[in-house]
């Protein structure tokens, strides 16, 4: 999917302990199933793959984190 530049877009990611799903503007663009993982995350990066590389070059107006998996 090619996302047009200079426009506002809604990007959402969900994870229900089995399936990772990525949505752009309400449309599912990717999904991947992973083995369950009971480790506690201790780091997170927004706009980067590792905090140093592949940095996001745009603006984020709002970020929300939910304790439950949201639907499309």
């Amino acid at each position: 999917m090619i996302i047009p530049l200079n426009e506002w877009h809604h990007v959402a990611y969900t994870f229900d302990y089995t399936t990772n799903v990525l949505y752009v503007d309400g449309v599912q663009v990717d999904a991947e199933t992973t083995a369950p993982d009971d480790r506690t995350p201790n780091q997170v990066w927004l706009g980067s793959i590792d905090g140093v590389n592949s940095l996001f070059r745009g603006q984020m107006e709002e970020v929300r984190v939910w304790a439950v998996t949201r639907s499309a």
Side-chain angles (χ1 to χ4, degrees):
M1 167 183 233
I2 297 174
I3 300 173
L5 299 176
N6 302 315
E7 294 180 6
W8 181 93
H9 297 280
H10 180 265
V11 178
Y13 165 80
T14 64
F15 178 65
D16 64 5
Y17 296 99
T18 303
T19 306
N20 301 275
V21 182
L22 179 66
Y23 299 91
V24 176
D25 296 330
V27 176
Q28 181 178 325
V29 296
D30 196 14
E32 180 177 299
T33 302
T34 59
D37 183 353
D38 61 356
R39 296 177 296 165
T40 301
N42 59 13
Q43 296 180 6
V44 65
W45 299 280
L46 294 173
S48 171
I49 191 138
D50 61 4
V52 177
N53 297 296
S54 300
L55 300 175
F56 175 69
R57 296 174 191 259
Q59 297 177 1
M60 292 185 201
E61 181 177 317
E62 183 176 344
V63 175
R64 293 183 187 188
V65 177
W66 297 83
V68 295
T69 303
R70 307 286 295 185
S71 66

